[in-house]
Amino acid sequence: MYHRRQFLNTLAASSLAALPGLMLSATARAAKTTFELTLSDAEWKKRLSPQQYAVLRQADTETPFTSPLNKEHRAGVFSCAGCQLPLFSSATKFDSGTGWPSFWKPLDNAVVKATDTTFGMTRDEVLCRRCGGHLGHVFDDGPKPTGLRYCMNGLALAFTAGTAPAA
C-alpha cells in the first residue's frame, strides 16, 4: 500500500531533483563553520562518486526507494560516506516508509544541525560533524523513545556490518 507520507516524499524528492540549482551546497551553508576535515571541491570530487558529491557537498536529494541501505537490516554502523565518521547504529534504524534510510537517534557527537530554508520552508538539516557533509533532514514524526526521524540519503552513508553500538 502506498501511504500518504510516501507519496508526499516522492513528490518532494522529484521536485528537489528537478530544481538542484535552488539548493545551496553543504560547503556554502557551512562556510562559516570550521570542520575537522576540510577539502577543496576538487578533492571532494576525487574522493566521492558524482552522485555522492551531489548529495554530500551540494545538498541534493537522492530519489526515494533507490538506496540499497533501505533494505539493510544487519547489525552494524552507518558512517559518513565522505569521511567515514560513524553516525548511526543499526539499533536505531527503522522503516519509516519514506524511501530513505531512517533512524531515531544518531550516535553521540556524530551530527550537527543547521537551519535549511530552501523551497520556502524551514527544516532542520543534518550534517556530518566531522566534514560538514549534507546527510538529510530530521523531523519530529519518528518513533519512541525520541519521536525523531533522521531521514538520511543512502548515498551519504556507508554501512559496516558488525556489532551495533548501543542505542
Short mmCIF file of all heavy atoms in Angstrom, two decimals, residues 8 13 27 31 34 38 58 66 73 113-114 130 134 137:
data_model
loop_
_atom_site.label_atom_id
_atom_site.label_comp_id
_atom_site.label_asym_id
_atom_site.label_seq_id
_atom_site.Cartn_x
_atom_site.Cartn_y
_atom_site.Cartn_z
N LEU A 8 3.94 11.98 -0.60
CA LEU A 8 4.45 13.33 -0.41
C LEU A 8 5.96 13.39 -0.50
O LEU A 8 6.53 14.31 -1.09
CB LEU A 8 3.97 13.89 0.94
CG LEU A 8 2.46 14.14 1.02
CD1 LEU A 8 2.07 14.54 2.44
CD2 LEU A 8 2.01 15.18 0.02
N ALA A 13 10.83 14.77 -3.37
CA ALA A 13 12.13 14.38 -3.94
C ALA A 13 12.17 14.66 -5.43
O ALA A 13 13.19 15.12 -5.95
CB ALA A 13 12.41 12.91 -3.67
N THR A 27 28.85 22.91 1.46
CA THR A 27 30.06 23.72 1.66
C THR A 27 29.68 25.18 1.84
O THR A 27 30.20 25.86 2.72
CB THR A 27 31.02 23.55 0.48
OG1 THR A 27 31.31 22.16 0.32
CG2 THR A 27 32.31 24.31 0.69
N ALA A 31 30.04 27.33 5.34
CA ALA A 31 31.28 28.07 5.12
C ALA A 31 31.77 28.78 6.38
O ALA A 31 32.96 28.95 6.57
CB ALA A 31 31.10 29.07 3.99
N THR A 34 33.84 25.74 10.98
CA THR A 34 35.08 25.01 10.75
C THR A 34 34.86 23.55 11.11
O THR A 34 34.37 23.24 12.18
CB THR A 34 36.22 25.59 11.61
OG1 THR A 34 36.36 26.97 11.29
CG2 THR A 34 37.52 24.87 11.35
N THR A 38 38.42 19.38 6.11
CA THR A 38 38.06 20.39 5.11
C THR A 38 38.87 20.11 3.86
O THR A 38 40.10 20.08 3.89
CB THR A 38 38.37 21.81 5.64
OG1 THR A 38 37.68 22.00 6.87
CG2 THR A 38 37.93 22.87 4.65
N GLN A 58 26.54 19.20 -2.26
CA GLN A 58 25.62 20.16 -2.87
C GLN A 58 24.21 20.04 -2.33
O GLN A 58 23.30 20.66 -2.86
CB GLN A 58 25.62 19.98 -4.39
CG GLN A 58 26.97 20.28 -5.02
CD GLN A 58 26.97 20.07 -6.51
OE1 GLN A 58 26.48 19.07 -7.03
NE2 GLN A 58 27.53 21.04 -7.22
N THR A 66 15.52 4.14 -3.74
CA THR A 66 16.60 3.67 -4.61
C THR A 66 17.83 3.21 -3.83
O THR A 66 18.68 2.54 -4.40
CB THR A 66 17.03 4.77 -5.60
OG1 THR A 66 17.49 5.92 -4.86
CG2 THR A 66 15.89 5.17 -6.52
N HIS A 73 19.43 -4.63 7.07
CA HIS A 73 18.89 -4.92 8.40
C HIS A 73 19.88 -5.64 9.30
O HIS A 73 19.53 -6.05 10.40
CB HIS A 73 17.61 -5.74 8.28
CG HIS A 73 16.54 -5.06 7.48
ND1 HIS A 73 15.91 -3.91 7.91
CD2 HIS A 73 16.01 -5.34 6.26
CE1 HIS A 73 15.03 -3.52 7.00
NE2 HIS A 73 15.08 -4.37 5.99
N LYS A 113 23.22 20.07 13.41
CA LYS A 113 22.05 20.53 12.68
C LYS A 113 22.27 21.96 12.20
O LYS A 113 22.96 22.74 12.84
CB LYS A 113 20.80 20.47 13.56
CG LYS A 113 20.34 19.07 13.85
CD LYS A 113 18.98 19.08 14.49
CE LYS A 113 19.09 18.76 15.95
NZ LYS A 113 17.82 18.72 16.64
N ALA A 114 21.65 22.26 11.07
CA ALA A 114 21.66 23.62 10.52
C ALA A 114 20.25 23.92 10.04
O ALA A 114 19.49 23.01 9.71
CB ALA A 114 22.65 23.71 9.36
N ARG A 130 32.07 15.92 11.39
CA ARG A 130 33.49 15.97 11.04
C ARG A 130 33.74 16.73 9.74
O ARG A 130 34.64 17.56 9.66
CB ARG A 130 34.07 14.57 10.92
CG ARG A 130 35.57 14.60 10.56
CD ARG A 130 36.14 13.22 10.30
NE ARG A 130 36.23 12.46 11.54
CZ ARG A 130 36.28 11.13 11.59
NH1 ARG A 130 36.23 10.41 10.49
NH2 ARG A 130 36.37 10.52 12.75
N HIS A 134 26.27 17.08 3.81
CA HIS A 134 24.81 17.02 3.93
C HIS A 134 24.37 15.56 3.98
O HIS A 134 24.67 14.78 3.08
CB HIS A 134 24.16 17.72 2.73
CG HIS A 134 22.69 17.52 2.64
ND1 HIS A 134 21.79 18.24 3.41
CD2 HIS A 134 21.95 16.67 1.89
CE1 HIS A 134 20.56 17.84 3.11
NE2 HIS A 134 20.63 16.89 2.19
N HIS A 137 17.66 15.34 6.60
CA HIS A 137 16.94 16.23 7.50
C HIS A 137 16.38 15.42 8.66
O HIS A 137 16.23 14.20 8.57
CB HIS A 137 15.79 16.92 6.76
CG HIS A 137 16.27 17.88 5.72
ND1 HIS A 137 16.57 17.48 4.43
CD2 HIS A 137 16.53 19.21 5.78
CE1 HIS A 137 16.99 18.53 3.74
NE2 HIS A 137 16.97 19.59 4.54
#
